[in-house]
Amino acid sequence: MARGIINQQAQIAVRLMTWDETEAIDDGLWARRIRAAIARRAVDPGLRETNARRLIFGESDGLPGLIADDYAGHIVLHLSTLAAGNAHDVIVDTLDAALKPVCIIERDDDERMRHERPGSKPMGPAFAVARGTAPDAPVEFREGGLTFQVDLRSGQKTGFYLDQRDNRARVARYCAGASVLNAFSFTGAFAAHALAAGAAHVTNLDSSADALKLAETALAANGFAGRSTQVQADAFEQLRAWRMAGERFDVVILDPPKFAHNTGQIDRAARAYKDLNRIGMALVKPGGVLVTFSCSGVIDAGLFQKILFSASLEAGREAQVVERLTQASDHPVLLTFPESEYLKGLICRVT
Ligand code: SAH
């Protein structure tokens, strides 16, 4: 039926590489797939307003174990399977030849590697330069008329959540004149778009002091100094405190990290999403908007909507779904690999 790569120690035993039983899995296949992924991005209308994009999205681009992001010509690679690790040289050579990037950086992905080789150490160093010279300073890039910076050496994940690109623009449309709570703000990307759309004030809330510092810098660089507040706290605790204090916002954004990493964690994660959304909803002014995301792939859109329903019942608030959001086009969903669909969001009008 298909050809793939077997790793008997891995949580995912077989990674399919081709549905053509005669096609060899060799350097030529890796190179062809990489060039095809790059060619698709080049004609993607969703990427015209930015020079930061996911070039290769693993299985969805026929390249299991390989993620590559491009920030203004600086490529960041994540190799997360042994097979992708073995193809390292052809991956780097092909990207280099096709894009002539400023540099190609590799970042090791501990969490994924543990699934690939239980009990193992990371495959390589946490950070390595495969081609060119890595900049010491953060790299600047554009997204929809705004500028952002990514620290390629210490950024979380690959440093910037490209998958939320379209959603930032969608959400911003609700923010003119609004007081906005941006919970799990990371470096304030939602905040920047909200302020560009005329938000009166944004409160960024995150547990990471480093992320909030970058948020403050990014907002000032875009001309929004003095229009935001950064709050470093645990979101669950802080949202509860605000609810008790009677604090309310026109728009509340909830973009938490992944709560469920596998099917065994669904129940616990569902409770956490329900609690978070119950408190988040309580903070929305009547007639205001709740924007809520889940990036847990094992929680599908149907279940997520049911969780929101439970949250609204417990909060005693009625809510209408007015928009459904998903991951950006450079994180495509391959029909033969529906597991690649992971990000879902709901924009709800809360009465
Ligand atoms: N909305 C962001 C991405 C959010 S990533 C964007 O568009 O760029 C998730 C963020 O949640 C991270 O920045 C992480 O530091 C933060 N976080 C994780 N657990 C948290 C908690 N319990 N309380 C507050 N922030 C938390």
Side-chain angles (χ1 to χ4, degrees):
M1 276 181 74
R3 294 168 72 99
I5 292 172
I6 294 177
N7 176 354
Q8 288 176 295
Q9 288 184 55
Q11 198 177 48
I12 297 171
V14 182
R15 308 265 184 166
L16 291 194
M17 295 290 290
T18 174
W19 294 93
D20 175 352
E21 60 195 277
T22 65
E23 189 174 23
I25 300 173
D26 55 13
D27 280 3
L29 176 85
W30 284 89
R32 284 195 302 282
R33 294 273 168 88
I34 291 168
R35 286 194 292 266
I38 293 170
R40 286 190 288 268
R41 287 356 181 240
V43 294
D44 184 340
L47 298 175
R48 278 181 202 146
E49 307 286 304
T50 184
N51 58 350
R53 59 211 167 134
R54 176 148 293 184
L55 288 170
I56 297 167
F57 182 44
E59 278 87 350
S60 285
D61 283 304
L63 294 161
L66 175 56
I67 301 274
D69 292 330
D70 173 4
Y71 299 97
H74 303 73
I75 295 179
V76 181
L77 285 184
H78 286 259
L79 306 181
S80 63
T81 61
L82 297 176
N86 290 341
H88 171 276
D89 292 354
V90 65
I91 292 168
V92 171
D93 287 346
T94 309
L95 286 166
D96 197 24
L99 296 162
K100 308 271 180 304
V102 179
C103 61
I104 302 179
I105 288 166
E106 285 172 68
R107 297 191 54 114
D108 205 59
D109 197 331
D110 278 12
E111 188 209 323
R112 288 186 196 225
M113 272 316 284
R114 272 200 300 276
H115 298 308
E116 186 72 1
R117 201 164 46 179
S120 71
K121 290 215 184 74
M123 246 187 345
F127 176 93
V129 182
R131 279 298 144 83
T133 331
D136 288 326
V139 170
E140 193 169 288
F141 62 93
R142 285 178 291 107
E143 184 187 83
L146 298 169
T147 61
F148 295 96
Q149 291 192 341
V150 60
D151 187 342
L152 299 180
R153 290 180 182 271
S154 67
Q156 197 168 345
K157 247 172 82 179
T158 46
F160 190 81
Y161 289 85
L162 300 167
D163 52 355
Q164 290 281 26
R165 178 189 311 108
D166 300 339
N167 300 336
R168 288 190 269 269
R170 304 295 296 181
V171 171
R173 305 188 309 158
Y174 294 85
C175 295
S179 60
V180 179
L181 169 59
N182 184 22
F184 306 93
S185 63
F186 190 44
T187 51
F190 272 101
H193 284 268
L195 288 165
H201 188 87
V202 179
T203 303
N204 287 314
L205 169 61
D206 203 283
S207 54
S208 159
D210 289 344
L212 289 170
K213 226 195 220 145
L214 286 170
E216 194 150 22
T217 314
L219 295 176
N222 283 290
F224 306 134
R227 288 170 64 194
S228 71
T229 309
Q230 331 311 322
V231 178
Q232 194 227 326
D234 173 74
F236 285 86
E237 286 174 19
Q238 187 60 51
L239 294 179
R240 273 197 195 93
W242 277 328
R243 185 187 54 185
M244 300 298 276
E247 195 81 50
R248 298 292 180 267
F249 301 87
D250 297 310
V251 177
V252 172
I253 303 168
L254 305 173
D255 185 22
K258 202 195 269 190
F259 287 164
H261 292 87
N262 54 56
T263 49
Q265 297 176 343
I266 289 179
D267 285 350
R268 200 180 48 94
R271 273 194 300 280
Y273 283 118
K274 192 195 66 184
D275 287 344
L276 176 65
N277 281 281
R278 173 169 48 82
I279 318 166
M281 222 175 264
L283 290 176
V284 179
K285 283 185 195 162
V289 168
L290 174 75
V291 181
T292 181
F293 293 99
S294 162
C295 58
S296 304
V298 292
I299 293 190
D300 66 26
L303 175 56
F304 190 52
Q305 184 169 327
K306 287 187 186 116
I307 292 168
L308 258 284
F309 173 52
S310 301
S312 82
L313 279 181
E314 289 186 13
R317 302 289 296 271
E318 198 154 46
Q320 298 172 315
V321 176
V322 292
E323 285 195 61
R324 292 166 200 281
L325 307 174
T326 185
Q327 62 221 48
S329 57
D330 52 347
H331 296 61
V333 179
L334 188 67
L335 289 176
T336 51
F337 188 70
E339 293 84 351
S340 51
E341 182 169 355
Y342 66 97
L343 181 64
K344 57 242 139 237
L346 296 170
I347 302 184
C348 298
R349 183 72 68 180
V350 182
T351 49

